Amino acid sequence: MTKMHIKLTVNGKAEELLAEPRELLIHVLRERLNLTGAHIGCETSHCGACTVEMNGKSVKSCTVFAAQANGAEITTIEGLGSPDALHVLQRSFREHHGLQCGFCTPGMITRAHRLLQENPAPTEDEVRFGMAGNLCRCTGYQNIVKSILAAASEINAAQEAAE
Amino acid sequence: MNDLSPSREERIANLKGLGCSRKRVEDVRFTQGKGNYVDDIKLPGMLQGDFVRSPYAHARVISVNKEAALALPGVIAVLTAEDLAPLNLHWMPTLAGDKQMVLADGKVLFQGQEVAFVVAEDRYIAADAVELVEVEYEELPVLTDPFAALESDVVLREDLEGQSAGAHGPRRHHNHIFLWEEGDKAATEQVLDSADVVAEEMIYYHRTHPCPLETCGAVASMDKVNGKLTLWGTFQAPHVVRTVASLLSGIEEHNIRVVSPDIGGGFGNKVGVYPGYVCSIVASIVTGRPVKWVEDRMENLMATAFARDYWMKGRIAATKEGKITGLWCHVTADHGAFDACADPTKFPAGFFHICTGSYDIPVAYVGVDGVYTNKAPGGVAYRCSFRVTEAAYFIERMVEVLAIELGMDAAELRRINFIRADQFPYHSALGWEYDSGDYHTAWDKALAAVDYAGLRREQAGRVEAFKRGETRKLLGIGLTHFTEIVGAGPVKNCDILGMGMFDSCEIRIHPTGSAIARLGTISQGQGHATTFAQILASEIGLPADSITIEEGDTDTAPYGLGTYGSRSTPVAGAAAAMVGRKIRAKAQMIAAWLLEVHEGDLDWDVDRFVVKGAPERFKTMKDIAYAAYNQAIPGLEPGLEAVSYYDPPNMTYPFGAYICVMEIDVDTGEHEIRQFYALDDCGTRINPMVIEGQVHGGLTEALAIAMGQEIAYDDIGNCKTATLMDFFIPTAWETPNYTTDFTETPSPHHPIGAKGVGESPNVGGVPAFSNAVHDAFRAFGLRHAHMPHDHWRIWKIANQLGLHG
Ligand code: FES
Ligand code: FES
């Protein structure tokens, strides 16, 4: 199959590669760029384990062709915080026990990150609705919701203090 | 010299031991996307395996033509049963004493069955090659109903023809697997015949699936230079996998290393040995390259490890006053095409005979008929300890049906039949010794917490308002008091493939007072790295933060039977406590020598040994650890390490009281959970935060099962629920908030009194949700309706009761 020349920016870093037209973004991220944070739970857009940000929107990278991501800005869980400086959401998930097996977690946090950009002060219902594309089999969501609400308060408090 | 500050309380807090809601050490990696799950493994030259699967539920395989697939560039091999037969690997033994085809040998017996294994340079080429393998089938009649299967002339398992007995006794029909019985049948039937009241019901616990977010997979790497096989995979029991792999392949056990990396949830799905594991190993041996196999979601739901599928016919006898006098149960168990149930060897129906539940029932009988059908094999304990979910659902429905028969309040009926606190240890009619419990206290606490009397008043008012046409919503109050049996188990009667179900912990204390401990279990999200360190911290007086926990690598961890059936805390947790005590015993000798006193003159105090009557004279565990490595102590070997293998004297019996308050829309069949109160008694609580998380998760799995999740087949054996579109997993939007609570009745025989909790919320949750649905319609004459209670089925209940006008 003829390969396509694809350029994209992942976590601020320019990447170039050749991909088959049918190759999925999740496979490019995981297998070519070794960014294994986003996971595969279904490959049918139902579970959200593969969630990443593409041009400022949450996408399920199992149903995006790499070719569609040509020229795009991608952020994955690896781009959110660093070992020395965890992102507020990463800290909050740990603090409020928002994860167990951790398999859904990168997708959850990446989606929550975008949700809080879209709606910086969500209600519990808005968090539950906004996270409904991401499945978790372990936590029952209660502590995920708590983690996201706590992170939102923390971000907002920090912003108010700065202003 | 010795510093008397910090205070005792500060020293206890510093350990982060038992009872502390310690934050999880795992989470730092997981939140950064730095987990290491099997699909994250990438080895040089690694190939990808993929299955050709049967589209038919029952068919003869006439031929398999690999030519076109092999001609595709990048395809390295295509394996069929014929290729595996010379190695005697085309069939493999199951955990239940049966055998199972690895690749279709002459016929296929369920839709999705593995027919050929394609090995290619990458996943895309492998998927293309799967399409190019030509398989010719001849369709055979399909049996999806276990009752019909027992009547049918169609022989499913031709390989067993003429065998009138299986691993669990006589087979009375060619599609029959076993009849397993417990209790006193004659005496029970006598009680039923002469009882004041008998309630009878057929209760179906439908087929479902654990469906962890990560599917099953493996990477096999045969190193031909040193003769070593390394196998990474989603294994809930890595040590058993090593033993099985050795027995099957003939590779000596020391030449096999099995590693369970991070596991993305298990819930029983990852206990069994699947054809994909065997094929990856063979493919790696054949090609000399590492081979990865990871199933996709459809394959997961169609082929690996269903759960439940029990048709439970029950009869329960009572006096007019409601005192239960006897319980009778017969189960028709649909095991699918091969009996691959994951149960301890001697228990083909698991621990189903815990089905007398929390009640003092003088006489009981259980019979379970296992049956072959054209469905996927499995029969795993989905967040459950070996058929305990089925048992709890059965008794908690039977009690409700009896309450209807007696015209009694279901909470009161339970109360007058509970085993009393003074009856423990309690011997049940079906042969168990319940170690401890205080059901009345838990029940009263739960009823008070939800204002049970107030709820019943509100419900009565609602029924009146409904009848007057003022509302279309009904209120259901779902009650459950469950008793679990977990922590398998005593080696004298529990084994898996002959391996006794003990577990183990090994610890090494380093000179500077930190440690590494390894156990025979493996976390799939339960947070072992956090909680086992807490048990050890309390035992040896070193901070949990200074103790590394490792599991899952058979080259380094001591042998253990793994994590399922809520056995990690009861068994491996006990091993951790015991190994800690061995360390402490040696530490005491070292301290005595250092302090120049007799061992008996020392008291243990949190993190140190103190000379009796001289509190200023002590040695901390840190001092002692150092001394163990730098002093020549007469009569003592240097070093400070120990190993403990724990064979539990009994199971543990966690229990709980759950109450679900549900609103039901009679016209749409929709439900809304207004309140869910869960009281758990899991004995000593190691980490309350982790316990609460387990309860939330287990309840949500219960919500799924009760309210919509199922593996369903049509008449010709097509699996109708093989994607997450059809297989219900609640989202954050559909999941309620839960209120958790507890009582604490320590297990008398467990070294720290802990009982295990992971599965309780699923065992108790399903009847609580289901009873709420039933209770909403009780006033209109509903006795029993089968799960799952999805909107359509609830609508049908209302319709059949004539509530749609
Ligand atoms: S893997 Fe992409 S949504 Fe499930
Ligand atoms: S933490 Fe396991 S799936 Fe969410």
Side-chain angles (χ1 to χ4, degrees):
Chain A
M1 220 168 283
T2 17
K3 300 212 167 175
M4 301 177 69
H5 184 200
I6 290 165
K7 290 188 187 180
L8 65 177
T9 310
V10 182
N11 301 329
K13 193 166 158 240
E15 304 279 2
E16 270 190 72
L17 49 98
L18 290 175
E20 286 184 26
R22 63 178 178 172
E23 205 162 327
L24 296 169
L25 179 58
I26 184 71
H27 295 143
V28 165
L29 293 172
R30 290 177 49 82
E31 289 169 16
R32 311 267 215 119
L33 304 179
N34 295 324
L35 296 168
T36 55
H39 296 136
I40 299 172
C42 69
E43 295 171 304
T44 51
S45 281
H46 291 106
C47 78
C50 62
T51 304
V52 299
E53 273 186 37
M54 183 162 115
N55 296 331
K57 282 204 173 83
S58 296
V59 298
K60 291 176 172 172
S61 60
C62 72
T63 24
V64 173
F65 290 117
Q68 291 173 284
N70 195 10
E73 292 264 355
I74 309 266
T75 307
T76 69
I77 186 71
E78 288 91 346
L80 279 192
S82 67
D84 307 325
L86 291 184
H87 188 274
V88 183
L89 276 161
Q90 291 169 322
R91 265 194 289 113
S92 189
F93 268 64
R94 174 160 194 249
E95 192 59 32
H96 300 284
H97 193 29
L99 65 150
Q100 291 181 26
C101 78
F103 202 75
C104 70
T105 312
M108 284 285 174
I109 293 181
T110 313
R111 170 61 199 144
H113 175 251
R114 178 49 41 194
L115 177 71
L116 295 186
Q117 314 278 307
E118 293 159 0
N119 180 357
T123 63
E124 179 182 336
D125 266 4
E126 285 167 346
V127 170
R128 286 186 175 273
F129 193 77
M131 296 300 297
N134 291 64
L135 298 177
C136 176
R137 291 292 284 145
C138 301
T139 65
Y141 305 104
Q142 194 159 331
N143 289 340
I144 290 179
V145 173
K146 209 163 142 191
S147 306
I148 296 170
L149 289 170
S153 309
E154 193 182 328
I155 296 168
N156 294 336
Q159 242 154 30
E160 268 169 42
E163 274 157 22
Chain B
M1 229 185 65
N2 282 330
D3 187 4
L4 274 176
S5 62
S7 73
R8 191 165 193 277
E9 284 63 41
E10 282 165 341
R11 288 188 284 126
I12 291 175
N14 184 39
L15 291 183
K16 299 191 187 163
L18 288 185
C20 167
S21 283
R22 180 181 185 223
K23 302 295 172 222
R24 301 198 331 159
V25 292
E26 298 89 339
D27 295 355
V28 179
R29 282 189 304 123
F30 290 158
T31 54
Q32 295 180 82
K34 299 287 189 221
N36 184 35
Y37 303 88
V38 70
D39 200 18
D40 300 341
I41 294 170
K42 195 170 166 182
L43 302 174
M46 190 171 74
L47 300 169
Q48 186 84 29
D50 203 349
F51 278 112
V52 176
R53 291 177 183 275
S54 168
Y56 298 110
H58 195 197
R60 228 166 270 298
V61 177
I62 307 295
S63 64
V64 181
N65 183 345
K66 330 173 178 176
E67 265 169 51
L70 284 172
L72 186 73
V75 174
I76 309 294
V78 178
L79 302 176
T80 61
E82 246 172 60
D83 303 307
L84 300 186
L87 305 166
N88 205 19
L89 286 174
H90 53 322
W91 288 75
M92 62 179 182
T94 69
L95 296 179
D98 193 4
K99 55 183 181 151
Q100 170 179 358
M101 289 179 209
V102 173
L103 291 171
D105 183 20
K107 73 191 280 198
V108 287
L109 286 155
F110 65 95
Q111 189 183 51
Q113 188 178 330
E114 300 80 0
V115 175
F117 190 66
V118 168
V119 187
E121 291 289 347
D122 71 35
R123 62 168 78 229
Y124 289 83
I125 300 171
D128 287 343
V130 163
E131 298 298 317
L132 294 174
V133 175
E134 293 162 17
V135 187
E136 195 186 332
Y137 298 95
E138 178 191 308
E139 285 185 70
L140 294 169
V142 173
L143 297 173
T144 57
D145 173 32
F147 298 97
L150 282 180
E151 306 281 306
S152 172
D153 293 338
V154 177
V155 180
L156 299 181
R157 291 288 300 276
E158 286 159 353
D159 59 296
L160 299 178
E161 245 180 326
Q163 290 185 23
S164 57
H168 305 291
R171 303 167 63 217
R172 64 168 185 274
H173 179 269
H174 50 251
N175 296 328
H176 184 240
I177 311 172
F178 61 79
L179 168 63
W180 179 82
E181 293 177 291
E182 190 63 71
D184 189 334
K185 191 175 185 190
T188 306
E189 286 175 352
Q190 208 175 1
V191 165
L192 286 161
D193 288 345
S194 56
D196 291 354
V197 179
V198 176
E200 191 170 329
E201 197 55 68
M202 171 63 99
I203 292 166
Y204 180 44
Y205 200 140
H206 58 291
R207 181 176 275 239
T208 180
H209 194 285
C211 193
L213 201 59
E214 177 202 36
T215 59
C216 300
V219 176
S221 178
M222 182 73 208
D223 183 334
K224 294 204 172 159
V225 176
N226 62 19
K228 289 218 177 223
L229 170 71
T230 307
L231 182 66
W232 292 263
T234 47
F235 311 132
Q236 290 182 228
H239 299 273
V240 181
V241 169
R242 185 187 68 192
T243 303
V244 174
S246 173
L247 293 173
L248 287 181
S249 68
I251 301 171
E252 279 194 89
E253 207 167 349
H254 71 283
N255 279 331
I256 302 178
R257 175 180 170 217
V258 175
V259 183
S260 295
D262 290 324
I263 296 185
F267 317 121
N269 197 173
K270 295 165 182 172
V271 173
V273 172
Y274 299 121
Y277 304 160
V278 178
C279 289
S280 327
I281 295 173
V282 174
S284 179
I285 294 173
V286 170
T287 62
R289 291 167 67 178
V291 175
K292 178 190 277 186
W293 165 75
V294 177
E295 61 182 1
D296 68 22
R297 180 57 61 192
M298 269 183 101
E299 297 178 291
N300 175 251
L301 288 170
M302 282 171 78
T304 48
F306 79 92
R308 326 292 194 239
D309 218 346
Y310 259 32
W311 290 92
M312 306 177 285
K313 185 155 179 65
R315 291 154 75 198
I316 189 165
T319 64
K320 285 193 293 294
E321 295 74 33
K323 191 79 190 87
I324 300 173
T325 51
L327 179 72
W328 181 98
C329 178
H330 177 267
V331 180
T332 302
D334 186 339
H335 284 217
F338 308 98
D339 186 11
C341 287
D343 292 315
T345 309
K346 295 183 191 71
F347 298 92
F351 302 156
F352 183 77
H353 46 314
I354 191 75
C355 66
T356 52
S358 309
Y359 311 105
D360 182 13
I361 302 180
V363 60
Y365 163 78
V366 175
V368 179
D369 273 310
V371 185
Y372 290 122
T373 61
N374 289 120
K375 297 183 190 167
V380 300
Y382 169 7
R383 204 162 186 146
C384 153
S385 176
F386 313 119
R387 304 290 186 184
V388 175
T389 39
E390 289 91 326
Y393 185 64
F394 170 73
I395 184 66
E396 288 303 297
R397 283 298 308 135
M398 286 308 292
V399 167
E400 293 276 321
V401 173
L402 179 62
I404 293 172
E405 199 77 43
L406 289 161
M408 261 180 90
D409 174 75
E412 185 55 21
L413 178 60
R414 283 180 173 86
R415 184 201 311 278
I416 63 174
N417 285 291
F418 281 145
I419 300 162
R420 295 187 317 273
D422 62 23
Q423 287 176 283
F424 291 96
Y426 171 82
H427 292 266
S428 79
L430 293 173
W432 297 114
E433 183 188 313
Y434 290 34
D435 65 347
S436 59
D438 183 353
Y439 302 161
H440 285 96
T441 301
W443 196 236
D444 290 342
K445 189 172 180 185
L447 295 182
V450 299
D451 180 19
Y452 180 68
L455 282 173
R456 284 290 177 210
R457 279 194 300 276
E458 183 188 346
Q459 185 186 42
R462 185 73 71 85
V463 169
E464 290 314 312
F466 182 86
K467 287 179 178 163
R468 290 193 301 268
E470 291 163 15
T471 179
R472 297 298 291 163
K473 281 195 177 168
L474 296 176
L475 186 68
I477 304 162
L479 304 174
T480 289
H481 191 289
F482 65 92
T483 295
E484 256 227 280
I485 172 168
V486 306
V491 171
K492 62 177 187 287
N493 60 3
C494 287
D495 71 273
I496 286 195
L497 294 174
M499 299 298 131
M501 294 181 75
F502 57 84
D503 228 291
S504 58
C505 180
E506 178 192 275
I507 186 165
R508 281 185 214 164
I509 316 286
H510 307 314
T512 52
S514 64
I516 181 162
R518 298 188 172 103
L519 298 99
T521 41
I522 175 73
S523 180
Q524 307 124 40
Q526 295 91 337
H528 291 174
T530 307
T531 51
F532 284 145
Q534 292 183 252
I535 296 178
L536 283 162
S538 287
E539 292 291 338
I540 63 176
L542 293 174
D545 289 347
S546 303
I547 304 171
T548 297
I549 299 289
E550 277 187 8
E551 302 174 298
D553 184 338
T554 60
D555 264 9
T556 56
Y559 204 101
L561 271 277
T563 295
Y564 41 86
S566 277
R567 64 185 298 281
S568 296
T569 297
V571 193
M578 298 312 274
V579 88
R581 288 170 198 183
K582 285 188 185 175
I583 292 289
R584 221 160 72 190
K586 181 167 180 186
Q588 187 163 3
M589 295 189 231
I590 298 172
W593 187 81
L594 292 172
L595 291 161
E596 298 177 354
V597 295
H598 189 268
E599 273 173 56
D601 295 331
L602 293 174
D603 279 332
W604 173 253
D605 179 40
V606 184
D607 57 355
R608 60 193 60 187
F609 282 102
V610 183
V611 177
K612 283 193 166 95
E616 72 291 350
R617 295 190 61 210
F618 61 82
K619 286 290 169 191
T620 66
M621 208 50 199
K622 230 174 132 103
D623 303 332
I624 296 166
Y626 195 62
Y629 291 89
N630 85 336
Q631 305 254 348
I633 304 173
L636 273 187
E637 286 179 8
L640 194 53
E641 56 181 79
V643 60
S644 178
Y645 282 77
Y646 187 78
D647 176 11
N650 189 2
M651 314 277 185
T652 59
Y653 296 75
F655 60 93
Y658 292 176
I659 298 174
C660 171
V661 184
M662 191 185 278
E663 300 266 355
I664 287 182
D665 186 316
V666 168
D667 297 316
T668 63
E670 286 171 299
H671 70 271
E672 189 198 321
I673 291 142
R674 197 171 85 181
Q675 184 182 5
F676 197 107
Y677 170 88
L679 178 151
D680 274 282
D681 192 318
C682 57
T684 303
R685 290 154 55 84
I686 299 166
N687 182 324
M689 177 191 83
V690 168
I691 291 173
E692 192 191 63
Q694 289 284 316
V695 174
H696 291 170
L699 287 175
T700 305
E701 291 192 342
L703 169 75
I705 295 167
M707 305 311 288
Q709 182 178 90
E710 66 178 320
I711 294 289
Y713 291 86
D714 68 11
D715 290 347
I716 53 167
N718 290 308
C719 180
K720 299 191 289 181
T721 51
T723 72
L724 296 185
M725 184 72 120
D726 307 297
F727 184 81
F728 175 52
I729 294 180
T731 67
W733 184 245
E734 288 140 330
T735 306
N737 280 310
Y738 307 104
T739 307
T740 57
D741 203 347
F742 66 97
T743 55
E744 197 162 343
T745 314
S747 166
H749 61 79
H750 186 279
I752 60 166
K755 294 184 175 176
V757 74
E759 288 146 358
S760 294
N762 200 12
V763 170
V766 173
F769 289 113
S770 178
N771 282 345
V773 173
H774 286 96
D775 185 67
F777 292 105
R778 178 173 168 175
F780 302 92
L782 179 66
R783 255 174 85 97
H784 180 78
H786 295 317
M787 289 192 291
H789 307 298
D790 52 28
H791 301 163
W792 176 66
R793 285 178 171 105
I794 291 183
W795 181 90
K796 264 202 329 191
I797 295 174
N799 194 261
Q800 278 159 8
L801 293 174
L803 302 184
H804 292 151

